[in-house]
Amino acid sequence: MAQSRVRTTEKSTLTANGARRRRNLSRAGYLEAKLGFRNYWYPAAFSHELAGGQALGVRLLGENILLRRVGERTMAVADRCLHRGVRFSRKLECYTDDTITCWYHGFTYRLSDGKLVEILTEPGSSLVGKLALKTYPVTETKGIVFVYIGEREPGELGHDVPPNFLDPELEIDGIHDHVNANWRMGAENGFDTTHIYIHRDSPLIPGNDLMLPLGLCPGDRHGISTYSDSEPKGVLDHTFESYQPVFEAAIDGRTVARSKGVNNRNIVAREVSIWMPGALKVDPWPDPALIQFEWYVPIDVDTHTYWRVLGKRVAGAAEAAAFHEEFHSRWESLALHGFNDDDIRAREGMQEFYQRDEAWDEEHLFKPDRCIVEWRQLASRHHRGIQPIA
Amino acid sequence: MAQSRVRTTEKSTLTANGARRRRNLSRAGYLEAKLGFRNYWYPAAFSHELAGGQALGVRLLGENILLRRVGERTMAVADRCLHRGVRFSRKLECYTDDTITCWYHGFTYRLSDGKLVEILTEPGSSLVGKLALKTYPVTETKGIVFVYIGEREPGELGHDVPPNFLDPELEIDGIHDHVNANWRMGAENGFDTTHIYIHRDSPLIPGNDLMLPLGLCPGDRHGISTYSDSEPKGVLDHTFESYQPVFEAAIDGRTVARSKGVNNRNIVAREVSIWMPGALKVDPWPDPALIQFEWYVPIDVDTHTYWRVLGKRVAGAAEAAAFHEEFHSRWESLALHGFNDDDIRAREGMQEFYQRDEAWDEEHLFKPDRCIVEWRQLASRHHRGIQPIA
Amino acid sequence: MAQSRVRTTEKSTLTANGARRRRNLSRAGYLEAKLGFRNYWYPAAFSHELAGGQALGVRLLGENILLRRVGERTMAVADRCLHRGVRFSRKLECYTDDTITCWYHGFTYRLSDGKLVEILTEPGSSLVGKLALKTYPVTETKGIVFVYIGEREPGELGHDVPPNFLDPELEIDGIHDHVNANWRMGAENGFDTTHIYIHRDSPLIPGNDLMLPLGLCPGDRHGISTYSDSEPKGVLDHTFESYQPVFEAAIDGRTVARSKGVNNRNIVAREVSIWMPGALKVDPWPDPALIQFEWYVPIDVDTHTYWRVLGKRVAGAAEAAAFHEEFHSRWESLALHGFNDDDIRAREGMQEFYQRDEAWDEEHLFKPDRCIVEWRQLASRHHRGIQPIA
C-alpha cells in the first residue's frame, strides 16, 4: 500500500480571501457530492435480509433498487417498472425463481439481465425482449450484499472497502439504521478525532474497561497518512501515536470534567481511518480483539444508512459462532447502541447547519480537524465521479 | 351520438425523435391539465351532505367553494370572505336561510348572487351592495350536487357526464374519497383495460360469481370508439368484443397464475368508457344489472376526490328503495371497497413517478394502453379550457 | 408624548391604479417585514424560565438565541457553536456560572462577551480568544427578559414597549404560546376594533360582567391618534369615544344576534393601542382594574410567539402577591384562554390567505379597519430596520 506522510500544516481557520478560495477549490468535489460518489461498491443489505428468496427494495444514492437472491447469486435491478413507473417493492410478486413481476399489469423481468420476458396481461406482447430494466452489479461477502453504483466497469470490491475488511479469517456481524443527516455528517462525525468528548459518559467505557480520553491534542507533526496512489484510497489517523490524550478538562483554571476511563486497562482506537467512498475503520474497537467498520451510505440528500459492523479474527466455525453469539448478547447493545447512538444524535445536530451550502464557509475548524480537512481533499481530488441530484 | 371507429394503429413505444415530438404534441393539453379542465360540470357533494340546510366547504380544481341548500335550490359561492380572506367553512354561520355570515367580522353575503348584504359589526357599511363573492352555477340531480367551474356559459349537464347517467329510470347511490394522486392517475387507472390484473384476488369475483380474466389481448383491429363530434366527448372501449381474454398466465412456459373467475357466470364490463372532463362508465358493473360511474375530481395537483357511484334501472319507488338497501348492505363493501380500494393503492403507486414532468416521456406503454393514448389525445384536442395553477 | 390626531379619511377599498400604488407605497416596509423589524427590544422569556441558572434556547425573528442568568445579569448569545454549527440547546452543558460549553467538542464560550475561552478537547487551542459568539443585549424587568435584535446601539426599553408597561407600581403576570401564523396576523387581529364579534360567546363576558358590543361603527371623525414623533411610536384607537357600539345585528331587517353583554356593568377596552415593534395595549382589560399587554414576536415567517400579559397597579408586596394569585386562579383561564384563544384561531384562519404576497392587494378593508391602515403606515414609515429573511 503506497503511503505518504502529510507534512504540510493547513490552517483550519483561514480568513484571507485567497486562502478561502484555495480551500474551497481543494474540497469542491466533496461539497458537490451531496448524494455521494459514483463508480463504487456500496453495502446494500445484509445477506440474511434476502433469506428464503424474498425480494427487498432498498434506496442508495437516490436510486431505488430491488435485490433478490437467485440460487447462489444475488441480483439487483432498478425498482421501477418500465411501463408506468411504479415500484415493484410496493407489492412484491415473484412467481419464478429468477423473475420479478410488476403487481400492476404483470410486466415480468428476468433478474439476471433485466429483460422483459413476459407480460401476464398480454401474453406475447411485442414489447417482450425489447425492454430491459437497469441492472446493478452485485457481490456478496462477509454476510453483506454490495451493489455497484456507476457506469464504469466495476473494479474489485477490495478497492472500495477499508483494508482488512476482506481478510479471510475476519468474521463480520452488524446492524444498519436510517439517520436523518447527509452522509457527510456521518463520515465526518465518525472520523472526527475529538468527538470522543460526546461519549465520555457512555456505558461502554466502564462496561469494557476502556481507556478513553476526553479529547486529543495534536502534536506538531501530524500523524496523518494519506493513501491516494493505491486502492482503496483513504486517510489514516495514527491517533495514539501522534496526539496527547486529554483526561481532564478545565475552564478558567477549574477542572470541570474528568475522563472516566483514565485508569482503565483496554487500549482501543489506535488507528482510525476513512476510505472512499465513505467507510470508516476503527482498529481496534470496541475491544482490543475487535475492529469496527462503518459505512455512511447516502439514501437521499438529507438521509443516510448508517452501517455499524464489527469484525473479529477467528480460527474456525466454533470461534465464528462464538463471535456471533457475543455480538448479539454483548456488543450490539453495549457498543453499537450504547456508544454509537450518540453519534447519530450528533450528526442530526449538524444537519440543520450544513444543509445550507454557505455553512461550509462559515464553520471554524480547529487543529484536531486536520484529519477531516485531509479527508475532504482526498475525496475531492480522487473520487471516480459525483452522483448527480435528480 | 356521432362516432368514428379509430383505425390507425399507434405504436405505444416510439423512439424516433419525430415520433416523440408528434406524440407530445398530441397530448400537450392533457399534460398541462394538472388541475383538470375548465368550463365543465363536476360532482361536488352528495345531496344528503347538504341536508338540514347545513353549509359545506369543498375544494375542486384548486378552488375553495361553499355549498348550501336554500329552499329548493343549492347555491355555491367562493369559500373565502372578501374582507380578510378567511374561509367561511372554518366556522360556519348561517343566520338566515339564504345568507352566509363570516365568523370573523360578520360580513354577510346573499348566497344567490354573492352580494354583500350586511356587515354585522358595522351596520350600514358603505361596502354593502358593492362587493360580491364569486358564485358558481349549481345543478342537482340523482342525489348529486354538480358545480360548474369555468367562465363560459355553462351547458347542459348531460354534455359533461357519461351517457345514460341521467336516464330517468336510473337510480344512483355512491361514495366519495380523498386519494393522494393526481386526478389523471385516477382516470388512467380506471380506463386502463389490463389493470384488472390487480383485482384477481378480489372478494368480489367469488362474491358475485364474476367472469373476470387476468388480462386482455387486443385484436388486430382495436375496438375503440372515439366520440369527439358530439357531447359528451369520450372514448369507449368495446372490451368484450375486441379483446382476447387471458385466463391463465405463464412465465417461461410455466403457468403462474389463473383467473379465479374463469368459470363464473356473470359477464360484466362489456364496455368501459371515459368522458370529459374525467368520468368513467363501466357497463355493466359490478353485476349484470348495474352500471358503475366514477369521477376523478382534482382537489389539488397531488390529490383528487374519487367518486364511486352505482346506477340501477328501477321501475318505481319500491325498487329504488330496494336498490339503496342493496347498495348499503352489499355493493358498498363487496364492490366499491372490496374491489376498488385496490385501485386507490395503484394510483398512489403511480403518483411518485408521474409527478415528475419527464415521466410522461419515460413511460413505456404497451398495446392494450391504446385506450389510454386515445383518451389523452381526445382530452388534449377537445377540452374547453385548462385550469391554471395558482 | 407628541400626538397628532389624524383627520384625513382614507378609503379602505381603492380601485384606481394610482390609488393602489399610493397605498402600496405607504405600507411597503410593513409588507416586507415578514420576519419583523430590527433594532428593537423583544420579550424572549419569562424570568422564571431561567430560574436556577438553567440555560434556555429561544428563537426570535429567525435567530436562535441562548439565554442564561449569570448572577444578577441575564446573558444572551447566538445558540450555535462556531465550530460545526450545532445548537448548544440540543444538549445544554454549563460547567461554570458564566460559560456555555458545546456538547460536541467542548468549545467553551464566556456568556458575557461570547469569547471562546477554552476547548475542552484541545486545551490551549490556538483558536482560544480569537473567536466570539454574537452576543445580544439583554434587559430584564417586570419578570420578563427582553432581548435586543439589531446592529444599532440599543435604546431605552421604554421606547419599545407600550406606555405604562414600565410604571413602577404596575405588577405583571402572563403566558406565551406558539401560533401558526405570521406575526402581522397577530398584530392586526389584536388591534382590529371589530373582531370583538368573534368573542361574543366568550365565557369572559358573563364571567366578569363585561359590557361588550358585537361591533363598532366609526363616527365621521375617526378617534385615532398616531404617535410618530416620540418613542414609543404607535397608534391609539379611542374606541369608546369615537365609535357607536353595535349591540344588535340584523340581516334583511331581522335581528339575528344580540350582545350578551349589553346590560353588563364593567366598561373595558376604552383605549386600544399598538406600538412598535408590534405590541398591543388594551386599557382597561379584562377588568376595569387591569391592563392587557400583548406581543406578537416573529419566530419564523409562518409562526409567532404570542405573549399575553396582564398588569395591575399595586401598593405593595401583599397586593402584588394577591394579584399573582388572582392571575393564576381567575384571569389565566377566564380571560387569557377563555377569551384570547379565539384570537389564535382567527390568526391561523388568516394565514392561509396572507401568506401569498398578492393577498395584501386582494383584501377589502372596511371603515373600522382604519386603525389597521394607520398601523401599517406607521410601521412602514417609522421602523428602524427590516429583519432580512435568511
Side-chain angles (χ1 to χ4, degrees), chain B residues 172-312:
Chain B
I172 293 292
D173 213 331
I175 59 175
H176 59 63
D177 289 278
H178 182 107
V179 176
N180 292 314
N182 182 268
W183 74 276
R184 295 166 302 183
M185 303 297 102
E188 299 196 355
N189 169 76
F191 192 43
D192 173 353
T193 330
T194 51
H195 89 279
I196 49 174
Y197 177 77
I198 67 169
H199 297 296
R200 67 196 182 282
D201 294 320
S202 169
L204 178 64
I205 297 175
N208 200 39
D209 206 13
L210 293 196
M211 202 287 284
L212 201 73
L214 294 177
L216 293 167
C217 284
D220 285 344
R221 180 161 159 264
H222 277 293
I224 296 177
S225 304
T226 296
Y227 301 87
S228 58
D229 300 335
S230 55
E231 300 289 354
K233 300 193 190 305
V235 179
L236 187 151
D237 202 349
H238 305 266
T239 43
F240 266 54
E241 189 181 296
S242 326
Y243 291 81
Q244 194 65 31
V246 176
F247 287 102
E248 222 177 80
I251 298 174
D252 297 330
R254 184 182 135 210
T255 298
V256 297
R258 277 191 184 85
S259 160
K260 290 176 175 146
V262 59
N263 294 316
N264 287 353
R265 198 180 34 132
N266 285 325
I267 310 288
V268 285
R270 290 178 176 278
E271 292 182 353
V272 182
S273 53
I274 192 163
W275 306 89
M276 291 293 285
L280 193 78
K281 179 188 177 191
V282 188
D283 188 6
W285 187 268
D287 185 87
L290 298 169
I291 304 174
Q292 182 155 332
F293 300 93
E294 299 192 346
W295 278 264
Y296 318 98
V297 184
I299 302 169
D300 286 308
V301 162
D302 296 322
T303 53
H304 70 274
T305 301
Y306 176 29
W307 287 75
R308 308 178 238 192
V309 168
L310 297 183
K312 184 171 196 173

Side-chain angles (χ1 to χ4, degrees), chain A residues 113-376:
Chain A
D113 56 9
K115 279 210 176 141
L116 180 70
V117 293
E118 193 51 274
I119 301 178
L120 302 194
T121 56
E122 193 212 3
S125 167
S126 62
L127 288 187
V128 167
K130 295 193 186 128
L131 296 180
L133 294 175
K134 175 175 179 178
T135 60
Y136 292 81
V138 177
T139 189
E140 196 170 353
T141 186
K142 303 284 184 190
I144 296 178
V145 176
F146 287 84
V147 168
Y148 183 83
I149 308 278
E151 55 288 321
R152 291 194 206 163
E153 189 64 26
E156 291 173 34
L157 177 62
H159 289 180
D160 300 357
V161 296
N164 301 115
F165 176 73
L166 297 178
D167 288 357
E169 69 278 17
L170 206 73
E171 192 70 17
I172 293 290
D173 212 331
I175 60 176
H176 60 62
D177 289 278
H178 182 107
V179 176
N180 290 315
N182 182 269
W183 75 275
R184 294 167 301 184
M185 302 298 101
E188 300 196 354
N189 169 75
F191 192 43
D192 174 353
T193 329
T194 51
H195 88 281
I196 49 173
Y197 177 76
I198 67 170
H199 297 296
R200 67 194 182 282
D201 293 320
S202 169
L204 178 64
I205 297 175
N208 200 39
D209 205 13
L210 293 195
M211 202 285 286
L212 202 73
L214 294 176
L216 292 166
C217 285
D220 284 345
R221 180 159 159 265
H222 277 293
I224 296 176
S225 304
T226 296
Y227 300 87
S228 59
D229 299 334
S230 54
E231 300 288 354
K233 300 193 190 305
V235 178
L236 187 150
D237 202 349
H238 305 266
T239 41
F240 267 54
E241 189 182 296
S242 328
Y243 291 81
Q244 192 66 31
V246 177
F247 287 102
E248 221 177 84
I251 298 175
D252 297 330
R254 185 182 133 209
T255 298
V256 297
R258 277 189 184 83
S259 161
K260 289 175 177 148
V262 59
N263 294 316
N264 287 351
R265 198 180 33 135
N266 284 325
I267 309 288
V268 284
R270 289 178 178 278
E271 291 182 354
V272 182
S273 53
I274 191 162
W275 305 89
M276 290 293 284
L280 193 78
K281 179 188 176 193
V282 187
D283 189 6
W285 186 268
D287 185 86
L290 299 170
I291 303 175
Q292 182 154 331
F293 299 94
E294 300 193 345
W295 277 264
Y296 319 98
V297 184
I299 302 169
D300 285 309
V301 162
D302 296 322
T303 53
H304 70 274
T305 300
Y306 175 29
W307 288 74
R308 305 178 241 192
V309 169
L310 297 183
K312 183 172 195 172
R313 296 181 197 284
V314 298
E319 277 189 37
F323 165 64
H324 292 293
E325 158 61 22
E326 186 192 354
F327 176 86
H328 290 290
S329 66
R330 177 164 172 78
W331 302 121
E332 185 172 351
S333 61
L334 181 66
L336 302 197
H337 288 299
F339 190 90
N340 296 119
D341 280 0
D342 285 333
D343 293 311
I344 294 176
R345 286 186 277 272
R347 299 174 207 169
E348 295 182 348
M350 272 193 284
Q351 175 66 10
E352 183 182 346
F353 181 68
Y354 282 98
Q355 66 187 351
R356 299 161 47 251
D357 286 340
E358 319 83 68
W360 302 81
D361 287 330
E362 294 170 13
E363 63 175 15
H364 290 89
L365 301 186
F366 72 143
K367 210 172 167 191
D369 288 324
R370 175 66 190 289
C371 54
I372 288 170
V373 172
E374 279 295 319
W375 154 243
R376 293 176 178 179

Side-chain angles (χ1 to χ4, degrees), chain C residues 171 314 316-327:
Chain C
E171 191 70 17
V314 297
E319 277 188 38
F323 165 64
H324 292 293
E325 158 60 24
E326 185 190 355
F327 176 86

Side-chain angles (χ1 to χ4, degrees), chain C residues 277-355:
Chain C
L280 193 77
K281 179 187 176 193
V282 188
D283 188 5
W285 187 269
D287 185 86
L290 298 170
I291 303 175
Q292 182 154 333
F293 299 94
E294 300 193 345
W295 278 264
Y296 319 98
V297 184
I299 302 170
D300 285 309
V301 162
D302 296 323
T303 53
H304 69 274
T305 300
Y306 176 29
W307 287 75
R308 305 177 241 191
V309 168
L310 297 183
K312 184 172 193 171
R313 296 181 197 284
V314 297
E319 277 188 38
F323 165 64
H324 292 293
E325 158 60 24
E326 185 190 355
F327 176 86
H328 290 290
S329 66
R330 177 164 171 78
W331 302 121
E332 185 171 352
S333 62
L334 181 65
L336 301 197
H337 288 298
F339 191 89
N340 296 118
D341 281 0
D342 285 334
D343 293 310
I344 293 176
R345 286 186 276 272
R347 299 174 209 168
E348 295 182 349
M350 274 194 284
Q351 176 65 12
E352 182 182 346
F353 181 68
Y354 282 98
Q355 67 187 352

Side-chain angles (χ1 to χ4, degrees), chain A residues 13 188-189 192 194-195 197-198 200 214-218 246 249-252 254 256 346 349-350 352-354 362-369 372 376, chain C residues 59 64 80 82-87 90-91 93 95-99 101-108 110 117-123 125-127 131:
Chain A
T13 52
E188 300 196 354
N189 169 75
D192 174 353
T194 51
H195 88 281
Y197 177 76
I198 67 170
R200 67 194 182 282
L214 294 176
L216 292 166
C217 285
V246 177
I251 298 175
D252 297 330
R254 185 182 133 209
V256 297
M350 272 193 284
E352 183 182 346
F353 181 68
Y354 282 98
E362 294 170 13
E363 63 175 15
H364 290 89
L365 301 186
F366 72 143
K367 210 172 167 191
D369 288 324
I372 288 170
R376 293 176 178 179
Chain C
R59 187 166 169 85
N64 291 321
R80 194 168 83 182
L82 293 166
H83 179 213
R84 306 296 309 253
V86 302
R87 276 188 282 124
R90 284 180 78 94
K91 187 164 175 287
E93 293 188 6
Y95 286 114
T96 70
D97 284 346
D98 62 346
T99 58
T101 295
C102 180
W103 52 266
Y104 202 176
H105 300 83
F107 279 53
T108 300
R110 179 112 40 225
V117 291
E118 192 51 273
I119 301 178
L120 302 194
T121 57
E122 193 213 4
S125 166
S126 62
L127 288 186
L131 297 180

Side-chain angles (χ1 to χ4, degrees), chain C residues 186-195 224-225 235-237 272-274 280-281 294 296 368 370-375:
Chain C
E188 300 197 353
N189 169 76
F191 192 44
D192 173 353
T193 330
T194 51
H195 89 280
I224 296 177
S225 304
V235 179
L236 187 151
D237 203 349
V272 182
S273 53
I274 192 162
L280 193 77
K281 179 187 176 193
E294 300 193 345
Y296 319 98
R370 175 68 191 288
C371 54
I372 289 170
V373 171
E374 280 295 318
W375 153 243

